[in-house]
Amino acid sequence: MIRHIKKSEIEKCVELIQSSFLTVAREFGFTRENAPRFTAFATTAERLAYQYEEGRPMYGYFDENGQMRGYYSLQLQENGECELNNLCVLPESRHGKIGEILYCHALRTAAAKDCRKMNIGIVEENKKLRAWYERLGARHTGTKKFDFFPFTCGYMEAVVDRDKLPERLSTGHI
């Protein structure tokens, strides 16, 4: 089940985000020293609480036992766009379609907020993640290299069209 995050669940969200993004950090050799701004190291309860207070839509995927297994948030922008942030699934819960379900839910949420485009940032070197987003309909739009990251930032976007949402959304699987 997907539902809004409660303020009391912020700390659990931080743990989930850090745990999820730490697998990427390990795979690509990111550390707190060489990539302190990477999500696994930069996400804090204070930062998420601030985002919560500003009204950022935050959602968790909860299993039948009420345990949070996945998370995402959207940063709404004034130009009819939004940014997908921290879409993640606990490592032990991956490969069970939770990420796809969350992504589709994010598109539906973006549509409900009148967004026309959802922007996505990735580690460009993570070819599996890029291919996953492309399979779900996102398209790659470019890259940028920042001195403070030991990787290249990749940028993707998904068109948010209420009439063309992924099949999973229109058939009520969520």
Side-chain angles (χ1 to χ4, degrees), residues 57-105:
M58 301 172 139
Y59 291 91
Y61 179 97
F62 294 83
D63 66 17
E64 61 279 351
N65 298 315
Q67 298 297 309
M68 191 182 332
R69 299 290 175 191
Y71 170 87
Y72 81 88
S73 71
L74 289 177
Q75 181 178 9
L76 303 175
Q77 300 165 330
E78 294 181 14
N79 58 358
E81 298 180 9
C82 62
E83 183 177 329
L84 178 64
N85 293 132
N86 301 331
L87 180 96
C88 58
V89 176
L90 285 174
E92 63 270 19
S93 298
R94 291 181 182 158
H95 309 293
K97 302 289 185 190
I98 294 172
E100 181 180 333
I101 291 167
L102 285 167
Y103 177 77
C104 291
H105 189 273

Side-chain angles (χ1 to χ4, degrees), residues 25-38:
R26 288 183 182 133
E27 181 178 350
F28 292 97
F30 310 152
T31 64
R32 194 173 298 281
E33 291 72 34
N34 71 10
R37 293 184 184 177
F38 183 65

Side-chain angles (χ1 to χ4, degrees), residues 31-156:
T31 64
R32 194 173 298 281
E33 291 72 34
N34 71 10
R37 293 184 184 177
F38 183 65
T39 309
F41 312 117
T43 303
T44 64
E46 295 78 22
R47 178 174 289 185
L48 282 192
Y50 175 80
Q51 293 171 356
Y52 183 92
E53 292 300 328
E54 73 179 9
R56 187 175 294 198
M58 301 172 139
Y59 291 91
Y61 179 97
F62 294 83
D63 66 17
E64 61 279 351
N65 298 315
Q67 298 297 309
M68 191 182 332
R69 299 290 175 191
Y71 170 87
Y72 81 88
S73 71
L74 289 177
Q75 181 178 9
L76 303 175
Q77 300 165 330
E78 294 181 14
N79 58 358
E81 298 180 9
C82 62
E83 183 177 329
L84 178 64
N85 293 132
N86 301 331
L87 180 96
C88 58
V89 176
L90 285 174
E92 63 270 19
S93 298
R94 291 181 182 158
H95 309 293
K97 302 289 185 190
I98 294 172
E100 181 180 333
I101 291 167
L102 285 167
Y103 177 77
C104 291
H105 189 273
L107 283 173
R108 182 169 57 199
T109 301
K113 302 285 184 184
D114 295 322
C115 295
R116 295 180 311 278
K117 181 168 57 168
M118 186 167 69
N119 298 303
I120 306 162
I122 63 169
V123 172
E124 183 66 20
E125 290 79 0
N126 192 339
K127 301 299 182 201
K128 282 190 257 180
L129 182 63
R130 177 178 167 178
W132 181 80
Y133 275 118
E134 288 174 334
R135 275 194 309 277
L136 294 174
R139 77 177 184 91
H140 192 262
T141 59
T143 62
K144 187 165 183 175
K145 181 70 177 104
F146 295 98
D147 292 338
F148 52 81
F149 280 141
F151 58 86
T152 304
C153 293
Y155 298 97
M156 303 186 78

Side-chain angles (χ1 to χ4, degrees), residues 151-164:
F151 58 86
T152 304
C153 293
Y155 298 97
M156 303 186 78
E157 65 182 36
V159 174
V160 179
D161 182 343
R162 289 177 197 256
D163 298 327
K164 295 181 183 176

